[in-house]
Amino acid sequence: MSKPIIKVNNLHKKYGDFTAVKGLSFEVLEGEIFGLLGPNGAGKSTTLEIIETLREKTSGEIWVGGFDLDKEPNEIKKIIGVQLQTSGYYPGLNLTELLELFAGLYNRSIDPLALLDTVNLRDKARSKFKELSGGQKQRFSIATTLINEPRIIFLDEPTTGLDPQARRNLWDLIRQIRDKGTTVIITTHYMDEAEILCDRVAIVDKGHIIALNSPDKLIDELVASGFEKPKEVKKANLEDVFIQLTGHALREGA
Ligand code: ADP
Ligand code: MG
């Protein structure tokens, strides 16, 4: 059994008199892909940003890698990888230069080409961020989370707006990162994605966790409660048709 690498206990967040997060408690285990699922406005990004030390909480306790967020936020910053705002991607710089710039901010020396290899972007080393496809932009953004060789990375809706091929490609990348031992926390509102990708998920609604388990166990529980699909499920869906017809290969334009 893996041990917890993140512990969140009774987290609350108020924005003025609106309470966005209402007593969340959960643990993320070392080496897993943990999904925070929920509709827009559920409080997913707020929760992530608080754990990332980027946003103040109202109350509750958080430990990341054994460090208490209230006492040692700088120790936490050293072991986590966060997707940087794309506004920090200076338009005049190419991908190599951007990675070198960010590495400088972390006080790290890196091999930009090796890092670009990890996300399959070596051939774009001299390209500007704005010249990338949607999937390539997300892969680059994930590369920026890996600069400081973090123990945990945080991905907030990394696949939103991507086509099915790019989405699958990103799932592979996220699995590779997990398989190398990095813990991944991801938010998504695509349930198919969470079912395939996440080891465990917490379903968040209106600031509360309403379920937490592996996708498999959550589905088994629902079935055990007597739930049945209204009609017989086909052995494939329209996305399977689409992928079968158009292939798995990435479509990233010229
Ligand atoms: P999610 O990521 O699940 O879509 P968020 O954490 O972004 O949800 O937002 C949760 C709730 O908090 C939403 O109702 C949102 O409008 C509100 N909210 C988020 N950020 C702010 C803010 N800076 N000021 C006021 N309300 C906010
Ligand atoms: Mg969000």
Side-chain angles (χ1 to χ4, degrees), residues 13-16 18-21 36-49 55 156-157 187 189 204 206-207:
K13 174 64 183 180
K14 286 187 177 185
Y15 294 111
F18 171 72
T19 307
V21 176
L36 277 180
L37 315 184
N40 286 330
K44 305 180 296 293
S45 297
T46 298
T47 301
L48 282 200
E49 287 166 14
R55 199 178 274 286
D156 198 353
E157 294 191 21
T187 71
H189 38 235
V204 186
K206 299 186 187 121

